[in-house]
Amino acid sequence: MTEMLRLSDTTLHHLATNVKQPGYNRAEVRIGIVHLGIGAFHRAHQAVYTDSVLASGDNRWGILGVSLRSGDTKEAIGPQDGLYTVASRDGGGDSFRVIGSVAKVLVAPENPEPVLIAMADPEVRIVSLTVTEKGYCYSPATASLDESHADIVHDLAHPHAPRSAIGFIVEALARRRANGTAPFTLLSCDNLPSNGETLKRVVTRFAELRDAALGRYIGENIAFPSTMVDRIVPATTDADRATTARATGLFDAWPIMTEPFTQWVVEDHFPSGRPAWEDFGATFVDNVDAFELMKLRLLNGSHSTLAYLGYLAGHETVADVMKAEGFGAFIQTMMDDEITSTLPPLPGFDLDAYKAQLRERFRNPALRHRTWQIAMDGSQKLPQRLLNTIRKRLEQKKPFDYLALGVAGWMRYATGVDEKGQPIDVRDPLVGQFKQRTTGKTKASDLVDAFLGLEEIFGADLPKSQQFRETVAHKLESLQKHGAAASVLV
Ligand code: CS2
């Protein structure tokens, strides 16, 4: 591979002829979008829709990608002029496309000022985000700003050199306001219910803490459309790099692996203008909530459940879990008998087909999506993926045994030791708390009590429900006694 050319503007003509490439003049693209949190998901999703818009001749929507933590993305795609490959894979094979919409990458911790300058530019009309759940610096149970969060405390003390997405947004809006520049639209693309409203809540609260008038200005003048985003994007491996280089003829330091499926539902509220993403598959609606709840509860709720139980049963990928005895049937029953009744109606939408397609997507043999990857940050994911669904079932006075096994699976996983007695590398902002609360405890009901003490996950209500406590404890006991593989069979 040493002799292989690397992907860049000047080597593009070496690309294998069956690989789609940006057919537009990248030098003429202007930056209209600043994206905070330029990870693999953004590059597999919004950046692909935007690449199609640029190719259609509207050159106002180039993306400036910002990394809020590490410099990995810039290191990988900076030397490639922002170009990267998207491999879409399923049992039928792979297809490759080079994406040109990312014009530039900045690393905020290296120097916040250029990021703020870009965000204050009048040509920038949209600031979008994929910063994951924890990037909102909120308490997961209430989704309101965590005012004691270290990054928030820092950004309030140093508003002109922020660290958090929230701090950057508020400082940029303050500068635009001071300069008389029209504000940008804020577009959250994270997996949260009513993600636009949530972003508005934390941004407005942070701004208020800085300056009451700024808080009011933001509350009254800024658009925060909500979105539902969907595409499964496993982490890239060295084997994926080699496969991509072989297939495309050029070495790409960070190609993106994903599935053919992609979905984007967006509330159409962009007072400063937007790309015509609907021409390339996005759906614009007045209110996205019903789509978002459907996706979060059916896809992400099942995903997390498969991840915890599957990991405990010794399976490396979601496709492996789906092949193992009982898991496919378990997840189908969980969707049909427990989750479906909690969803708001979507007239004209074929929910059965959606659920069947989801299970097919989980079975995709080419993706190798690791259970460990999905298991990360459970404290931030549980409320919207499983707990709110359980709240609804409690309200309906209906059973929730399958969902409870998912929650117990998370607890079993979060204790940090697997079924063979080996340590688990638990990645979660609250991992210290898990240890502190569970050390020395082995009885299922004691462990459940220890976890339920985490109000930022379970709220004040669920711990008070005896039915919830007992059901989860019963499931955890089953996991302890019989293991995950046997527990999904009952
Ligand atoms: C996954 C999601 O890692 C996870 O938690 O559940 O990233 C999932 O793959 C996407 O939401 C699919 O759109």
Side-chain angles (χ1 to χ4, degrees):
M1 197 163 303
T2 45
E3 283 158 39
M4 187 154 240
L5 288 174
R6 181 151 176 197
L7 178 64
S8 75
D9 279 333
T10 52
T11 58
L12 262 185
H13 60 283
H14 290 282
L15 210 57
T17 49
N18 60 344
V19 178
K20 191 172 170 200
Q21 55 169 292
Y24 49 93
N25 183 354
R26 297 188 72 225
E28 284 175 3
V29 167
R30 305 197 324 251
I31 288 170
I33 300 172
V34 171
H35 184 79
L36 304 178
I38 181 161
F41 182 75
H42 175 71
R43 291 200 277 142
H45 193 270
Q46 303 104 63
V48 176
Y49 291 84
T50 306
D51 182 66
S52 300
V53 170
L54 296 174
S56 75
D58 185 353
N59 68 357
R60 296 172 299 164
W61 303 106
I63 299 168
L64 182 146
V66 179
S67 296
L68 291 164
R69 290 187 297 189
S70 89
D72 295 3
T73 303
K74 185 177 166 194
E75 257 165 54
I77 69 170
Q80 301 175 182
D81 303 312
L83 293 170
Y84 62 92
T85 317
V86 170
S88 110
R89 357 178 64 174
D90 62 15
D94 299 349
S95 84
F96 297 87
R97 169 172 171 188
V98 169
I99 301 298
S101 52
V102 177
K104 198 171 175 182
V105 181
L106 294 176
V107 183
E110 279 172 8
N111 190 357
E113 189 54 26
V115 177
L116 290 165
I117 292 173
M119 292 172 81
D121 187 321
E123 286 212 358
V124 167
R125 257 81 63 73
I126 295 172
V127 170
S128 53
L129 293 87
T130 48
V131 292
T132 81
E133 298 84 353
K134 61 178 179 267
Y136 289 76
C137 304
Y138 65 13
S139 149
T142 58
S144 49
L145 186 71
D146 175 0
E147 294 176 23
S148 61
H149 191 293
D151 288 349
I152 296 304
V153 172
H154 172 275
D155 290 359
L156 285 171
H158 307 279
H160 310 304
R163 273 185 197 157
S164 71
I166 312 304
F168 274 100
I169 289 167
V170 172
E171 174 63 9
L173 287 171
R175 290 188 187 189
R176 291 177 84 105
R177 182 175 176 233
N179 297 342
T181 306
F184 43 67
T185 297
L186 276 157
L187 189 63
S188 165
C189 295
D190 282 294
N191 284 316
L192 314 170
S194 312
N195 52 11
E197 268 167 55
T198 298
L199 182 61
K200 179 172 183 171
R201 188 178 322 114
V202 294
V203 162
T204 313
R205 178 67 192 144
F206 178 90
E208 264 169 27
L209 293 170
R210 258 186 75 167
D211 161 7
L214 182 62
R216 233 179 357 261
Y217 165 80
I218 292 178
E220 286 166 9
N221 294 284
I222 311 301
F224 292 84
S226 286
T227 60
M228 179 262 253
V229 294
D230 189 7
R231 199 169 196 187
I232 294 176
V233 189
T236 304
T237 64
D238 283 339
D240 298 329
R241 287 184 181 85
T243 310
T244 307
R246 259 197 313 275
T248 64
L250 290 174
F251 177 74
D252 177 347
W254 200 340
I256 302 296
M257 302 296 120
T258 186
E259 57 178 342
F261 181 92
T262 177
Q263 189 177 20
W264 196 8
V265 188
V266 190
E267 287 177 357
D268 201 356
H269 184 36
F270 292 77
S272 304
R274 62 165 177 83
W277 286 313
E278 70 274 29
D279 292 349
F280 305 97
T283 308
F284 282 88
V285 296
D286 288 337
N287 188 317
V288 91
D289 288 351
F291 287 97
E292 183 64 19
L293 288 181
M294 170 185 84
K295 193 257 169 174
L296 278 171
R297 293 181 184 175
L298 285 171
L299 188 156
N300 298 110
S302 305
H303 231 185
S304 288
T305 301
L306 290 168
Y308 295 118
L309 299 175
Y311 183 98
L312 291 168
H315 301 298
E316 194 184 348
T317 71
V318 174
D320 294 340
V321 186
M322 289 298 284
K323 270 198 301 209
E325 196 199 346
F327 278 95
F330 177 88
I331 227 64
Q332 179 159 0
T333 311
M334 176 167 136
M335 287 183 181
D336 290 341
D337 293 3
E338 297 193 353
I339 303 176
T340 300
S341 78
T342 73
L343 301 176
L346 268 173
F349 189 86
D350 188 346
L351 199 59
D352 286 331
Y354 179 82
K355 290 188 280 190
Q357 185 187 33
L358 270 184
R359 292 189 294 272
E360 247 346 271
R361 291 170 63 198
F362 291 159
R363 283 192 198 99
N364 186 332
L367 273 190
R368 300 204 50 76
H369 198 188
R370 292 178 67 198
T371 48
W372 177 83
Q373 185 187 351
I374 301 163
M376 273 192 259
D377 289 351
S379 68
Q380 315 291 303
K381 294 173 175 172
L382 234 51
Q384 60 277 17
R385 293 184 178 204
L386 294 171
L387 302 179
N388 287 347
T389 322
I390 291 178
R391 285 192 172 93
K392 195 80 198 169
R393 293 290 286 179
L394 279 165
E395 205 181 291
Q396 295 171 339
K397 304 209 178 339
K398 297 261 179 61
F400 51 89
D401 295 80
Y402 288 72
L403 293 156
L405 187 62
V407 176
W410 169 75
M411 290 180 178
R412 176 70 191 77
Y413 181 93
T415 56
V417 180
D418 74 11
E419 292 184 358
K420 296 199 181 91
Q422 297 302 311
I424 304 174
D425 180 7
V426 179
R427 302 278 175 97
D428 194 292
L430 298 189
V431 69
Q433 291 257 18
F434 303 161
K435 265 216 184 76
Q436 201 189 324
R437 283 170 187 267
T438 59
T439 305
K441 302 200 166 92
T442 50
K443 221 175 125 207
S445 55
D446 291 345
L447 285 166
V448 169
D449 285 348
F451 281 114
L452 292 193
L454 289 162
E455 196 176 332
E456 57 266 66
I457 304 177
F458 294 96
D461 57 337
L462 284 177
K464 287 194 197 120
S465 159
Q466 199 189 346
Q467 194 190 347
F468 179 69
R469 252 172 208 278
E470 282 173 4
T471 313
V472 175
H474 177 67
K475 296 294 170 190
L476 184 56
E477 209 179 321
S478 163
L479 288 174
Q480 290 176 326
K481 273 202 193 132
H482 311 295
S487 297
V488 298
L489 295 176
V490 289

